[in-house]
Amino acid sequence: MEKATAVANPNIAFVKYWGKTDEELNLPANPSLSMNLAALTTVTTVEFRRDLPADLVTVDDRPLAGPALARVLAHLNRIRALAGIDHKAWVASRNDFPAGTGLASSASAFAALSLAATRAAGLWLDESALSRLARRGSGSACRSVPAGFCLWEGEDDETSYARQVAPAEHWNLTDVVAIVSREHKPVGSHDGHGLAPGSPFYAARLAAVPGWLADVGQGIRQRDLGLLGLAAEADALAMHGVMLTSLPPLLYWEGGTLAVLKAVLDWRREGLDVYFTMDAGPNVHCLCLAATAAEVEGRLRRLGVPEVVVSGPGQGVRLVDHYLF
Amino acid sequence: MEKATAVANPNIAFVKYWGKTDEELNLPANPSLSMNLAALTTVTTVEFRRDLPADLVTVDDRPLAGPALARVLAHLNRIRALAGIDHKAWVASRNDFPAGTGLASSASAFAALSLAATRAAGLWLDESALSRLARRGSGSACRSVPAGFCLWEGEDDETSYARQVAPAEHWNLTDVVAIVSREHKPVGSHDGHGLAPGSPFYAARLAAVPGWLADVGQGIRQRDLGLLGLAAEADALAMHGVMLTSLPPLLYWEGGTLAVLKAVLDWRREGLDVYFTMDAGPNVHCLCLAATAAEVEGRLRRLGVPEVVVSGPGQGVRLVDHYLF
């Protein structure tokens, strides 16, 4: 059988996905809209081999274990079932960005794994089928399959996948990520999703999502940062409002988080065109145009943010012709 | 005319008031339930004098000015209208706690002013009339008029005032206040109330309030800290969830706020019986029984909290026979 290597970027959602209607299928309670992040990549090589006694998975040269390994094995089993094979797999994956910093490495990881493993198993999936498959591994991974700006919507397993709404070249929107903490979040996104319906704000956020989705979609089409940015901020704060009113409260923020959020609001009052969004973690994604990114990065560093990543829109998951083993 | 001095305690609400149905009358969008704080007092002396050319108001020996003075003069005008007099007033007020630290000094201030000024004007108001009057000066001031634990409910100007649900002696509930910041909040409560209906969570919080109110009421009746504490936490987080999703977002928290919130949740997981609530500011009120207060205070100080105030249930507003001038 073949060996295959795929490269994928993580993505940042401007309208988030928080809460699921189907835990097993990773069907989200609301549509989401994201941009792939060109500056960050996961590279994954997969080979199915008859001579392997067991699946072997390494991430950044360390063998994977525990629940993280179980998630990958479950995904490999899905692909083996699709291909009608029972070979064990050798999987090596490498990230060029710090893992565990809330940069959505599971999105790029499961997008790259889905493409590399299906190719290695002799399958050719089209983009929508690949996005559906990636979704089963990690919900947001489906948005890292198409290139550029992606909308994830759909009702059931058949229809729930991400589609491109604009290519990466459409707009020089830039994400300046303030990495305020490298600590691993105390409650993972998976458990967080399960707590969401317990918040008194859960339904209210879902009811507000279509409005934000419309604004973000129009913001991308018209390259209107203000329209996209205000909706992205409102949605991110609403998601964190749902989190903090879950039982028990999910407090993903750190002191540095608050400092950056307040700074971005202050900078905008001063006239700098920058907006924030956040994932399920303490880091703050500052959204601006490419021309403003250096200014935003400099201000974040002067604020004392220990690490800053600057990224424009990225491509979709793709095959490359080199291998990690 | 007489000179009169009144003493009042600020109060901490376990179910908050956030949003108004009538801006001019300070009619709240939801009922609230609070405890007066014995450890903190405002003392206010008032005298109406024919020989004064203008109202003279000092707080902590400094003349009041600007919007704060305008609010006091409007309140004096209400009392003059009630008493049918037009004398100018000499008002001196003193707090034995740091002002501007989010300790609800406007509640104790307008409760003390209402009693001292009505007595000085020759009026005798009963408790409900005094609570209604104090409400006009500052909404939460109406809850500092009765003693102990107070419920503020009612629909209109006639019926909207605070009533005692339990006297101070009923329960040794203790508020250990972590003063994490002395900075003045960037947006005052008054303007914050006006932003509340713009939050997508405004209606959802109001819909959840009756449940929290029932739990807090039962918690007080049965002296059940867990019942009261969990409801108070949920309501406080919901109020801050409404604040942070207002447009613009109201971010009252500081880094120290997050540190205390997370610590309280951790301590409870370890078995310490302590809960938090917050007002419209960065400070955290830690609720526990009197026997646990020293332990909570010690832990807050070891956490680096610069100032801690410990208070049991306080009395209502009362006259005293000494004068500030």
Side-chain angles (χ1 to χ4, degrees):
Chain A
M1 305 200 74
E2 278 185 75
K3 196 193 283 190
T5 301
V7 177
N9 304 127
N11 64 76
I12 176 71
F14 307 130
V15 177
K16 311 291 182 183
Y17 133 64
W18 195 245
K20 302 180 188 185
T21 58
D22 190 307
E23 180 85 16
E24 161 66 20
L25 294 171
N26 279 343
L27 297 177
N30 67 276
S32 53
L33 213 167
S34 64
M35 174 178 103
N36 288 342
L37 296 175
L40 309 172
T41 56
T42 298
V43 182
T44 302
T45 299
V46 179
E47 187 177 21
F48 289 98
R49 291 169 62 148
R50 255 206 199 292
D51 60 344
L52 277 176
D55 291 313
L56 170 67
V57 184
T58 65
V59 173
D60 295 331
D61 301 317
R62 282 191 301 250
L64 210 58
L69 177 63
R71 247 171 115 184
V72 170
L73 298 189
H75 206 58
L76 290 171
N77 288 341
R78 278 177 207 120
I79 291 160
R80 279 188 279 250
L82 277 175
I85 61 172
D86 60 1
H87 301 52
K88 296 299 179 189
W90 183 352
V91 178
S93 187
R94 218 169 266 164
N95 300 298
D96 67 357
F97 56 98
T101 59
L103 287 173
S105 56
S106 72
S108 49
F110 279 95
L113 176 65
S114 297
L115 179 55
T118 51
R119 278 306 301 128
L123 296 167
W124 279 107
L125 300 188
D126 66 16
E127 187 180 276
S128 58
L130 197 62
S131 176
R132 287 179 54 226
L133 176 64
R135 184 202 78 225
R136 297 292 303 278
S138 173
S140 58
C142 77
R143 294 188 310 238
S144 284
V145 171
F149 300 85
C150 301
L151 171 67
W152 174 20
E153 57 180 359
E155 296 301 305
D156 52 27
D157 188 36
E158 251 339 280
T159 57
S160 180
Y161 56 87
R163 287 149 252 238
Q164 183 183 94
V165 297
E169 299 70 33
H170 168 72
W171 194 17
N172 62 5
L173 186 64
T174 302
D175 180 5
V176 184
V177 194
I179 299 176
V180 299
S181 168
R182 286 167 152 279
E183 272 193 54
H184 211 282
K185 45 194 184 188
V187 180
S189 304
H190 179 83
D191 293 330
H193 278 287
L195 295 174
S199 161
F201 296 158
Y202 183 62
R205 176 181 171 269
L206 293 180
V209 159
W212 295 324
L213 210 56
D215 282 356
V216 167
Q218 192 181 333
I220 292 170
R221 279 193 303 281
Q222 303 180 346
R223 302 185 189 87
D224 182 335
L225 177 61
L227 190 58
L228 177 141
L230 284 178
E233 276 189 4
D235 179 61
L237 290 170
M239 181 177 76
H240 282 270
V242 168
M243 291 164 168
L244 75 88
T245 53
S246 296
L247 292 174
L250 278 175
L251 292 171
Y252 282 126
W253 295 5
E254 304 282 343
T257 309
L258 280 167
V260 175
L261 296 181
K262 291 178 185 183
V264 168
L265 293 172
D266 284 345
W267 296 341
R268 208 158 70 231
R269 272 182 221 112
E270 294 167 17
L272 193 70
D273 212 16
V274 57
Y275 300 79
F276 62 73
T277 184
M278 299 187 64
D279 274 348
N283 299 319
V284 184
H285 296 252
C286 302
L287 306 173
C288 59
L289 299 182
T292 322
E295 173 69 22
V296 172
E297 181 183 2
R299 290 186 186 212
L300 288 172
R301 292 198 187 275
R302 287 195 291 281
L303 205 63
V305 174
E307 192 169 351
V308 181
V309 171
V310 179
S311 182
Q315 297 304 317
V317 66
R318 59 269 185 199
L319 292 166
V320 293
D321 59 4
H322 59 85
Y323 306 103
L324 293 181
F325 58 85
Chain B
M1 305 200 73
E2 278 185 76
K3 196 192 286 191
T5 302
V7 176
N9 304 126
N11 64 77
I12 176 69
F14 307 129
V15 177
K16 311 291 182 182
Y17 133 65
W18 195 244
K20 303 180 187 183
T21 58
D22 190 307
E23 179 84 19
E24 161 67 19
L25 294 171
N26 280 342
L27 297 177
N30 67 276
S32 54
L33 213 166
S34 64
M35 174 178 104
N36 289 343
L37 297 174
L40 309 172
T41 56
T42 298
V43 181
T44 302
T45 298
V46 180
E47 186 177 23
F48 289 98
R49 291 168 61 147
R50 261 210 191 288
D51 60 343
L52 277 174
D55 291 311
L56 170 68
V57 183
T58 65
V59 173
D60 295 330
D61 301 316
R62 280 191 303 250
L64 210 59
L69 176 64
R71 247 172 115 183
V72 170
L73 298 189
H75 206 57
L76 290 171
N77 288 340
R78 280 179 205 117
I79 290 160
R80 279 188 277 250
L82 276 176
I85 60 172
D86 60 0
H87 302 51
K88 296 299 177 189
W90 183 353
V91 178
S93 187
R94 218 170 265 166
N95 301 298
D96 67 359
F97 57 97
T101 60
L103 288 172
S105 56
S106 72
S108 48
F110 279 94
L113 177 65
S114 297
L115 178 55
T118 51
R119 278 305 303 126
L123 297 167
W124 280 107
L125 300 188
D126 64 18
E127 186 180 275
S128 58
L130 198 62
S131 177
R132 288 178 56 225
L133 175 65
R135 185 202 78 224
R136 298 291 305 277
S138 174
S140 57
C142 77
R143 295 189 310 241
S144 285
V145 170
F149 300 85
C150 301
L151 171 68
W152 173 21
E153 57 180 359
E155 298 300 306
D156 53 27
D157 188 36
E158 247 346 276
T159 58
S160 180
Y161 56 87
R163 288 151 252 239
Q164 183 184 94
V165 296
E169 298 69 32
H170 169 71
W171 195 17
N172 62 3
L173 186 64
T174 302
D175 180 4
V176 185
V177 194
I179 299 177
V180 300
S181 169
R182 288 168 152 278
E183 270 193 56
H184 212 280
K185 45 193 185 189
V187 179
S189 304
H190 179 83
D191 293 330
H193 278 285
L195 295 174
S199 160
F201 296 158
Y202 182 62
R205 176 180 171 269
L206 293 181
V209 157
W212 294 323
L213 210 55
D215 282 358
V216 167
Q218 193 180 334
I220 292 170
R221 278 193 303 281
Q222 303 180 345
R223 302 186 190 89
D224 182 334
L225 177 61
L227 190 59
L228 176 141
L230 283 178
E233 276 189 5
D235 179 62
L237 290 169
M239 180 178 76
H240 283 270
V242 168
M243 290 163 169
L244 74 88
T245 54
S246 295
L247 290 175
L250 277 176
L251 293 170
Y252 281 126
W253 296 5
E254 304 283 343
T257 308
L258 280 167
V260 175
L261 296 182
K262 291 177 184 184
V264 168
L265 293 172
D266 285 345
W267 296 341
R268 207 158 71 230
R269 273 181 220 112
E270 294 167 17
L272 193 72
D273 212 16
V274 57
Y275 300 80
F276 62 72
T277 184
M278 296 187 65
D279 274 348
N283 299 320
V284 184
H285 297 251
C286 302
L287 306 174
C288 60
L289 299 182
T292 321
E295 175 67 23
V296 172
E297 181 182 3
R299 290 187 185 213
L300 287 172
R301 291 198 186 275
R302 287 194 292 280
L303 205 64
V305 174
E307 192 169 350
V308 181
V309 171
V310 179
S311 181
Q315 297 304 318
V317 66
R318 59 269 183 199
L319 292 168
V320 292
D321 59 3
H322 59 87
Y323 305 103
L324 293 180
F325 58 85

mmCIF file of all heavy atoms in Angstrom, chain A residues 15-46:
data_model
loop_
_atom_site.group_PDB
_atom_site.id
_atom_site.type_symbol
_atom_site.label_atom_id
_atom_site.label_comp_id
_atom_site.label_asym_id
_atom_site.label_seq_id
_atom_site.Cartn_x
_atom_site.Cartn_y
_atom_site.Cartn_z
ATOM 1 N N VAL A 15 -17.444 32.996 13.611
ATOM 2 C CA VAL A 15 -18.643 32.578 14.346
ATOM 3 C C VAL A 15 -18.348 31.169 14.829
ATOM 4 O O VAL A 15 -17.954 30.303 14.040
ATOM 5 C CB VAL A 15 -19.910 32.605 13.470
ATOM 6 C CG1 VAL A 15 -21.118 32.084 14.263
ATOM 7 C CG2 VAL A 15 -20.169 34.007 12.964
ATOM 8 N N LYS A 16 -18.467 30.958 16.132
ATOM 9 C CA LYS A 16 -17.981 29.747 16.782
ATOM 10 C C LYS A 16 -19.005 28.628 16.744
ATOM 11 O O LYS A 16 -20.185 28.857 16.515
ATOM 12 C CB LYS A 16 -17.694 30.030 18.267
ATOM 13 C CG LYS A 16 -16.875 31.250 18.531
ATOM 14 C CD LYS A 16 -15.471 31.054 18.065
ATOM 15 C CE LYS A 16 -14.623 32.280 18.371
ATOM 16 N NZ LYS A 16 -13.264 32.090 17.833
ATOM 17 N N TYR A 17 -18.492 27.478 17.078
ATOM 18 C CA TYR A 17 -19.319 26.296 17.255
ATOM 19 C C TYR A 17 -19.205 25.924 18.721
ATOM 20 O O TYR A 17 -18.109 25.706 19.223
ATOM 21 C CB TYR A 17 -18.818 25.231 16.283
ATOM 22 C CG TYR A 17 -18.572 23.823 16.731
ATOM 23 C CD1 TYR A 17 -19.622 23.009 17.181
ATOM 24 C CD2 TYR A 17 -17.291 23.271 16.659
ATOM 25 C CE1 TYR A 17 -19.378 21.687 17.535
ATOM 26 C CE2 TYR A 17 -17.049 21.961 17.003
ATOM 27 C CZ TYR A 17 -18.081 21.166 17.454
ATOM 28 O OH TYR A 17 -17.838 19.874 17.800
ATOM 29 N N TRP A 18 -20.312 25.963 19.468
ATOM 30 C CA TRP A 18 -20.260 25.632 20.894
ATOM 31 C C TRP A 18 -21.548 24.923 21.294
ATOM 32 O O TRP A 18 -22.607 25.519 21.313
ATOM 33 C CB TRP A 18 -20.037 26.883 21.753
ATOM 34 C CG TRP A 18 -19.614 26.530 23.153
ATOM 35 C CD1 TRP A 18 -20.307 26.769 24.316
ATOM 36 C CD2 TRP A 18 -18.407 25.859 23.547
ATOM 37 N NE1 TRP A 18 -19.606 26.285 25.398
ATOM 38 C CE2 TRP A 18 -18.436 25.711 24.941
ATOM 39 C CE3 TRP A 18 -17.306 25.362 22.835
ATOM 40 C CZ2 TRP A 18 -17.408 25.091 25.660
ATOM 41 C CZ3 TRP A 18 -16.292 24.736 23.543
ATOM 42 C CH2 TRP A 18 -16.351 24.620 24.940
ATOM 43 N N GLY A 19 -21.432 23.640 21.520
ATOM 44 C CA GLY A 19 -22.593 22.810 21.804
ATOM 45 C C GLY A 19 -22.875 21.916 20.604
ATOM 46 O O GLY A 19 -22.700 22.315 19.453
ATOM 47 N N LYS A 20 -23.244 20.674 20.878
ATOM 48 C CA LYS A 20 -23.480 19.696 19.810
ATOM 49 C C LYS A 20 -24.902 19.144 19.880
ATOM 50 O O LYS A 20 -25.465 19.017 20.957
ATOM 51 C CB LYS A 20 -22.506 18.505 19.958
ATOM 52 C CG LYS A 20 -21.046 18.889 19.939
ATOM 53 C CD LYS A 20 -20.140 17.669 20.086
ATOM 54 C CE LYS A 20 -18.692 18.120 20.267
ATOM 55 N NZ LYS A 20 -17.738 17.007 20.310
ATOM 56 N N THR A 21 -25.442 18.783 18.717
ATOM 57 C CA THR A 21 -26.715 18.069 18.711
ATOM 58 C C THR A 21 -26.477 16.557 18.671
ATOM 59 O O THR A 21 -27.375 15.787 18.974
ATOM 60 C CB THR A 21 -27.573 18.459 17.485
ATOM 61 O OG1 THR A 21 -26.827 18.159 16.303
ATOM 62 C CG2 THR A 21 -27.904 19.942 17.518
ATOM 63 N N ASP A 22 -25.251 16.154 18.272
ATOM 64 C CA ASP A 22 -24.911 14.738 18.282
ATOM 65 C C ASP A 22 -23.440 14.593 18.668
ATOM 66 O O ASP A 22 -22.544 14.971 17.901
ATOM 67 C CB ASP A 22 -25.187 14.102 16.920
ATOM 68 C CG ASP A 22 -25.066 12.578 16.964
ATOM 69 O OD1 ASP A 22 -24.011 12.065 17.420
ATOM 70 O OD2 ASP A 22 -26.012 11.898 16.552
ATOM 71 N N GLU A 23 -23.249 14.064 19.834
ATOM 72 C CA GLU A 23 -21.917 13.908 20.435
ATOM 73 C C GLU A 23 -21.056 12.949 19.607
ATOM 74 O O GLU A 23 -19.871 13.206 19.368
ATOM 75 C CB GLU A 23 -22.136 13.336 21.853
ATOM 76 C CG GLU A 23 -20.903 13.086 22.657
ATOM 77 C CD GLU A 23 -20.479 14.354 23.370
ATOM 78 O OE1 GLU A 23 -21.312 15.298 23.471
ATOM 79 O OE2 GLU A 23 -19.336 14.406 23.802
ATOM 80 N N GLU A 24 -21.646 11.866 19.168
ATOM 81 C CA GLU A 24 -20.917 10.811 18.468
ATOM 82 C C GLU A 24 -20.525 11.262 17.046
ATOM 83 O O GLU A 24 -19.421 10.993 16.572
ATOM 84 C CB GLU A 24 -21.810 9.552 18.435
ATOM 85 C CG GLU A 24 -21.475 8.493 17.412
ATOM 86 C CD GLU A 24 -20.130 7.824 17.679
ATOM 87 O OE1 GLU A 24 -19.656 7.896 18.828
ATOM 88 O OE2 GLU A 24 -19.554 7.256 16.727
ATOM 89 N N LEU A 25 -21.427 11.980 16.392
ATOM 90 C CA LEU A 25 -21.170 12.403 15.009
ATOM 91 C C LEU A 25 -20.540 13.803 14.933
ATOM 92 O O LEU A 25 -20.259 14.285 13.833
ATOM 93 C CB LEU A 25 -22.476 12.384 14.199
ATOM 94 C CG LEU A 25 -23.117 11.004 13.979
ATOM 95 C CD1 LEU A 25 -24.506 11.149 13.363
ATOM 96 C CD2 LEU A 25 -22.225 10.141 13.075
ATOM 97 N N ASN A 26 -20.347 14.447 16.079
ATOM 98 C CA ASN A 26 -19.841 15.821 16.098
ATOM 99 C C ASN A 26 -20.714 16.744 15.238
ATOM 100 O O ASN A 26 -20.192 17.514 14.412
ATOM 101 C CB ASN A 26 -18.386 15.881 15.626
ATOM 102 C CG ASN A 26 -17.413 15.508 16.729
ATOM 103 O OD1 ASN A 26 -17.769 15.501 17.906
ATOM 104 N ND2 ASN A 26 -16.187 15.183 16.340
ATOM 105 N N LEU A 27 -22.016 16.660 15.418
ATOM 106 C CA LEU A 27 -22.909 17.581 14.712
ATOM 107 C C LEU A 27 -23.124 18.802 15.600
ATOM 108 O O LEU A 27 -23.544 18.680 16.747
ATOM 109 C CB LEU A 27 -24.246 16.905 14.406
ATOM 110 C CG LEU A 27 -24.162 15.688 13.474
ATOM 111 C CD1 LEU A 27 -25.541 15.067 13.296
ATOM 112 C CD2 LEU A 27 -23.565 16.081 12.123
ATOM 113 N N PRO A 28 -22.811 19.986 15.084
ATOM 114 C CA PRO A 28 -22.846 21.193 15.915
ATOM 115 C C PRO A 28 -24.256 21.752 16.066
ATOM 116 O O PRO A 28 -25.113 21.552 15.202
ATOM 117 C CB PRO A 28 -21.981 22.172 15.132
ATOM 118 C CG PRO A 28 -22.162 21.776 13.709
ATOM 119 C CD PRO A 28 -22.365 20.281 13.699
ATOM 120 N N ALA A 29 -24.461 22.471 17.170
ATOM 121 C CA ALA A 29 -25.762 23.098 17.424
ATOM 122 C C ALA A 29 -25.978 24.332 16.553
ATOM 123 O O ALA A 29 -27.093 24.813 16.432
ATOM 124 C CB ALA A 29 -25.882 23.470 18.902
ATOM 125 N N ASN A 30 -24.906 24.864 15.946
ATOM 126 C CA ASN A 30 -25.070 26.043 15.085
ATOM 127 C C ASN A 30 -24.004 26.057 13.998
ATOM 128 O O ASN A 30 -22.929 25.488 14.184
ATOM 129 C CB ASN A 30 -24.989 27.334 15.916
ATOM 130 C CG ASN A 30 -23.609 27.579 16.508
ATOM 131 O OD1 ASN A 30 -23.276 27.054 17.561
ATOM 132 N ND2 ASN A 30 -22.790 28.369 15.826
ATOM 133 N N PRO A 31 -24.266 26.704 12.865
ATOM 134 C CA PRO A 31 -23.253 26.825 11.807
ATOM 135 C C PRO A 31 -22.082 27.684 12.292
ATOM 136 O O PRO A 31 -22.248 28.509 13.195
ATOM 137 C CB PRO A 31 -23.995 27.542 10.675
ATOM 138 C CG PRO A 31 -25.440 27.475 11.010
ATOM 139 C CD PRO A 31 -25.531 27.386 12.495
ATOM 140 N N SER A 32 -20.924 27.497 11.697
ATOM 141 C CA SER A 32 -19.753 28.294 12.052
ATOM 142 C C SER A 32 -19.021 28.712 10.780
ATOM 143 O O SER A 32 -19.209 28.124 9.718
ATOM 144 C CB SER A 32 -18.832 27.501 12.984
ATOM 145 O OG SER A 32 -18.501 26.243 12.438
ATOM 146 N N LEU A 33 -18.193 29.747 10.913
ATOM 147 C CA LEU A 33 -17.522 30.316 9.742
ATOM 148 C C LEU A 33 -16.100 30.695 10.139
ATOM 149 O O LEU A 33 -15.900 31.390 11.130
ATOM 150 C CB LEU A 33 -18.305 31.555 9.271
ATOM 151 C CG LEU A 33 -18.314 31.846 7.783
ATOM 152 C CD1 LEU A 33 -19.374 32.875 7.445
ATOM 153 C CD2 LEU A 33 -16.973 32.290 7.267
ATOM 154 N N SER A 34 -15.115 30.248 9.365
ATOM 155 C CA SER A 34 -13.724 30.364 9.804
ATOM 156 C C SER A 34 -12.784 30.747 8.673
ATOM 157 O O SER A 34 -13.162 30.788 7.497
ATOM 158 C CB SER A 34 -13.266 29.022 10.374
ATOM 159 O OG SER A 34 -13.286 28.047 9.345
ATOM 160 N N MET A 35 -11.550 30.997 9.057
ATOM 161 C CA MET A 35 -10.462 31.238 8.110
ATOM 162 C C MET A 35 -9.311 30.301 8.478
ATOM 163 O O MET A 35 -8.952 30.187 9.648
ATOM 164 C CB MET A 35 -10.001 32.693 8.245
ATOM 165 C CG MET A 35 -8.781 33.060 7.428
ATOM 166 S SD MET A 35 -8.355 34.828 7.635
ATOM 167 C CE MET A 35 -6.959 34.703 8.767
ATOM 168 N N ASN A 36 -8.741 29.631 7.482
ATOM 169 C CA ASN A 36 -7.542 28.831 7.741
ATOM 170 C C ASN A 36 -6.366 29.762 8.021
ATOM 171 O O ASN A 36 -6.305 30.878 7.494
ATOM 172 C CB ASN A 36 -7.235 27.932 6.548
ATOM 173 C CG ASN A 36 -8.229 26.791 6.434
ATOM 174 O OD1 ASN A 36 -8.927 26.477 7.395
ATOM 175 N ND2 ASN A 36 -8.304 26.179 5.259
ATOM 176 N N LEU A 37 -5.425 29.293 8.840
ATOM 177 C CA LEU A 37 -4.288 30.119 9.253
ATOM 178 C C LEU A 37 -3.010 29.641 8.569
ATOM 179 O O LEU A 37 -2.418 28.624 8.945
ATOM 180 C CB LEU A 37 -4.134 30.055 10.774
ATOM 181 C CG LEU A 37 -5.313 30.644 11.560
ATOM 182 C CD1 LEU A 37 -5.139 30.428 13.060
ATOM 183 C CD2 LEU A 37 -5.493 32.128 11.246
ATOM 184 N N ALA A 38 -2.581 30.427 7.555
ATOM 185 C CA ALA A 38 -1.451 30.003 6.716
ATOM 186 C C ALA A 38 -0.167 29.794 7.508
ATOM 187 O O ALA A 38 0.659 28.944 7.154
ATOM 188 C CB ALA A 38 -1.212 31.041 5.614
ATOM 189 N N ALA A 39 0.001 30.553 8.603
ATOM 190 C CA ALA A 39 1.293 30.544 9.293
ATOM 191 C C ALA A 39 1.545 29.281 10.109
ATOM 192 O O ALA A 39 2.657 29.064 10.583
ATOM 193 C CB ALA A 39 1.401 31.772 10.197
ATOM 194 N N LEU A 40 0.503 28.483 10.307
ATOM 195 C CA LEU A 40 0.629 27.314 11.180
ATOM 196 C C LEU A 40 0.297 26.064 10.385
ATOM 197 O O LEU A 40 -0.697 26.025 9.669
ATOM 198 C CB LEU A 40 -0.345 27.440 12.364
ATOM 199 C CG LEU A 40 -0.290 28.761 13.141
ATOM 200 C CD1 LEU A 40 -1.424 28.826 14.155
ATOM 201 C CD2 LEU A 40 1.049 28.900 13.843
ATOM 202 N N THR A 41 1.143 25.038 10.494
ATOM 203 C CA THR A 41 0.856 23.823 9.738
ATOM 204 C C THR A 41 1.081 22.572 10.577
ATOM 205 O O THR A 41 1.955 22.524 11.455
ATOM 206 C CB THR A 41 1.738 23.688 8.475
ATOM 207 O OG1 THR A 41 3.103 23.754 8.875
ATOM 208 C CG2 THR A 41 1.445 24.773 7.460
ATOM 209 N N THR A 42 0.280 21.562 10.258
ATOM 210 C CA THR A 42 0.487 20.202 10.729
ATOM 211 C C THR A 42 0.824 19.357 9.507
ATOM 212 O O THR A 42 0.147 19.455 8.479
ATOM 213 C CB THR A 42 -0.786 19.645 11.379
ATOM 214 O OG1 THR A 42 -1.110 20.442 12.520
ATOM 215 C CG2 THR A 42 -0.588 18.195 11.823
ATOM 216 N N VAL A 43 1.881 18.558 9.600
ATOM 217 C CA VAL A 43 2.263 17.632 8.532
ATOM 218 C C VAL A 43 2.103 16.223 9.071
ATOM 219 O O VAL A 43 2.588 15.926 10.177
ATOM 220 C CB VAL A 43 3.729 17.845 8.095
ATOM 221 C CG1 VAL A 43 4.084 16.888 6.944
ATOM 222 C CG2 VAL A 43 3.966 19.280 7.696
ATOM 223 N N THR A 44 1.417 15.363 8.296
ATOM 224 C CA THR A 44 1.153 14.011 8.782
ATOM 225 C C THR A 44 1.406 12.992 7.671
ATOM 226 O O THR A 44 0.883 13.137 6.562
ATOM 227 C CB THR A 44 -0.308 13.891 9.264
ATOM 228 O OG1 THR A 44 -0.528 14.855 10.294
ATOM 229 C CG2 THR A 44 -0.596 12.486 9.801
ATOM 230 N N THR A 45 2.213 11.991 7.997
ATOM 231 C CA THR A 45 2.465 10.882 7.078
ATOM 232 C C THR A 45 1.799 9.623 7.630
ATOM 233 O O THR A 45 1.877 9.369 8.835
ATOM 234 C CB THR A 45 3.979 10.639 6.924
ATOM 235 O OG1 THR A 45 4.582 11.806 6.381
ATOM 236 C CG2 THR A 45 4.249 9.443 6.003
ATOM 237 N N VAL A 46 1.133 8.889 6.725
ATOM 238 C CA VAL A 46 0.459 7.657 7.138
ATOM 239 C C VAL A 46 0.837 6.530 6.178
ATOM 240 O O VAL A 46 0.910 6.739 4.957
ATOM 241 C CB VAL A 46 -1.084 7.822 7.129
ATOM 242 C CG1 VAL A 46 -1.768 6.501 7.541
ATOM 243 C CG2 VAL A 46 -1.520 8.959 8.045
#
